[in-house]
Amino acid sequence: MSSGEEGRFHTVDVSRISSGPRRATLLTADGVPIEAVHDPCAGGSATTAVVVAHGFTGSVDRPAVRRAARVFARRAGVVTFSFRGHGRSGGRSTVGDREVLDLAAAVAWARSLGYARVVTVGFSMGGSVVLRHAATYTAAGAPEHEGRTGRAGAHSDAVAAVSAPARWYYRGTAPMRRLHWVVTRPAGRLVGRFGFRTRIHTEDWDPVPLSPVESVPLIAPTPLLIVHGDRDPYFPLDHPRMLAAAADGGAELWLEPGMGHAENAADDALLARLAAWLLTR
């Protein structure tokens, strides 16, 4: 699937007046409704919002996503959302392509809430999305890559990619071979829909989107952090090392001993370190 041009987004507040979490529906540039939640900073007012991009088969209400939101909300405002095809969002998952539009809508919503800085953190598929988003959207809204224009306000001020792949179509581990079966086979997509509550597109990418490793050199001068566990069963350590090398000194790399994959494996201590890094860059 190919990415479209960023346009305006809409919000529909469903929470009434509340000092707690605020739920909204965002409309992406290509017309897909995306469910989102804003958690205000638990410590009072904050000038920074952290936008969290979950992994494949995740959603805004999954326990690991809610836990990450609670940890980040100790120091910042937090926006979580469900990618298309996940949770209560509309559309079908394109497994990292058009999801950039979902993230752009969430970032723009965070800015509309009054935050001066908006930073992004993505896990697994979400990690690839935050990298591609940062390479595509700029503060100036100047013409960018993949034939579209980044709108001012949809950019990120700092980026952290956790457990992200470096390249597309990787099948070098058993979990990734199973994931490709889920995505590419009719029977697999039924498993995705009814077993994982994830609705998956049926078309091949056309054109193939910019890969994470191709995106990384385009992110500077935005601060970039790459985090990966040394026990990740999906993507071995050549993936984060490839991403860091592509940044040519423009990224910080954390290789986490004993950590597995994505948000489910990120403990509270790591999440707190991520928040500290994002808020000080």
Side-chain angles (χ1 to χ4, degrees):
M1 305 294 291
S2 62
S3 296
E5 183 177 343
E6 163 64 1
R8 62 197 183 106
F9 71 96
H10 302 271
T11 67
V12 181
D13 186 19
V14 296
S15 64
R16 304 298 183 184
I17 299 173
S18 172
S19 59
R22 172 187 177 186
R23 287 188 176 262
T25 298
L26 315 179
L27 192 64
T28 67
D30 59 344
V32 177
I34 299 297
E35 67 170 340
V37 176
H38 169 235
D39 289 273
C41 180
S45 62
T47 59
T48 299
V50 179
V51 178
V52 181
H54 63 74
F56 185 63
T57 75
S59 75
V60 72
D61 289 319
R62 288 293 175 92
V65 175
R66 299 314 320 144
R67 179 171 57 86
R70 287 193 298 271
V71 174
F72 294 148
R74 295 170 189 164
R75 301 186 59 179
V78 182
V79 168
T80 50
F81 66 98
S82 296
F83 280 121
R84 61 187 62 205
H86 294 73
R88 296 183 180 87
S89 292
R92 293 174 180 265
S93 174
T94 64
V95 200
D97 180 16
R98 287 184 175 264
E99 283 74 11
V100 171
L101 300 176
D102 308 344
L103 178 59
V107 169
W109 184 48
R111 292 197 190 277
S112 78
L113 295 173
Y115 291 101
R117 293 184 72 249
V118 179
V119 298
T120 54
V121 56
F123 299 89
S124 191
M125 180 188 77
S128 71
V129 173
V130 299
L131 294 174
R132 292 186 54 238
H133 170 267
T136 305
Y137 292 85
T138 69
E144 285 299 325
H145 313 282
E146 301 187 8
R148 54 194 187 120
T149 300
R151 189 185 71 180
H155 67 285
S156 53
D157 294 298
V159 184
V162 183
S163 304
R167 54 194 185 273
W168 300 137
Y169 305 114
Y170 177 72
R171 293 178 171 85
T173 58
M176 285 305 298
R177 289 191 288 273
R178 290 194 293 269
L179 186 147
H180 276 86
W181 177 81
V182 168
V183 170
T184 62
R185 304 286 183 165
R189 290 192 289 270
L190 284 174
V191 171
R193 184 179 186 93
F194 296 107
F196 299 107
R197 293 179 290 177
T198 302
R199 304 172 306 282
I200 306 166
H201 71 106
T202 59
E203 300 84 12
D204 292 335
W205 285 336
D206 183 21
V208 175
L210 199 70
S211 72
V213 74
E214 292 170 326
S215 300
V216 164
L218 308 174
I219 294 174
T222 302
L224 172 61
L225 173 64
I226 298 163
V227 181
H228 212 91
D230 67 0
R231 294 188 182 178
D232 190 317
Y234 287 81
F235 304 113
L237 292 178
D238 63 312
H239 284 260
R241 287 170 175 154
M242 185 181 297
L243 292 171
D248 194 23
E252 193 169 335
L253 174 62
W254 296 355
L255 298 180
E256 297 296 308
M259 180 185 167
H261 185 69
E263 59 262 51
N264 290 318
D267 61 21
D268 287 9
L270 174 58
L271 294 170
R273 283 195 287 130
L274 279 169
W277 189 92
L278 289 163
L279 294 175
T280 55
R281 294 305 185 275

